Amino acid sequence: TPAYEMLRSLVGSEMCIRDRLKIERLEEKQEELRERLKVVEKWVIGAAAVLAAGTTVIGFATNISKAYL
């Protein structure tokens, strides 16, 4: 019947709108997570640089102490 078809169409449209809103929220969350990941990556790179510098300093200190002992 036409009324049934109209109802099916409305329900389908409502589902489409709901799904689109969910997708938009997921895309926003994905972008937020990408930005947070960039921050973590910068922190990890910085921490690695600090560790490398510390290792170099310890190496120099070890070599200096061996030369004088």
Side-chain angles (χ1 to χ4, degrees):
T1 64
Y4 175 73
E5 292 299 322
M6 183 182 282
L7 180 61
R8 276 186 48 190
S9 177
L10 288 172
V11 169
S13 296
E14 182 183 321
M15 290 172 64
C16 211
I17 292 167
R18 185 193 64 218
D19 291 346
R20 184 178 43 123
L21 292 173
K22 284 182 182 178
I23 290 169
E24 288 173 0
R25 277 188 248 127
L26 287 173
E27 288 171 344
E28 290 170 3
K29 191 59 136 176
Q30 185 179 33
E31 185 59 32
E32 178 186 324
L33 290 173
R34 280 191 180 117
E35 292 301 316
R36 292 172 76 180
L37 181 59
K38 287 178 188 176
V39 171
V40 170
E41 286 173 341
K42 287 179 184 177
W43 185 88
V44 168
I45 290 169
V50 168
L51 288 172
T55 302
T56 301
V57 168
I58 290 170
F60 284 139
T62 302
N63 289 336
I64 290 171
S65 68
K66 285 180 183 177
Y68 288 101
L69 292 176

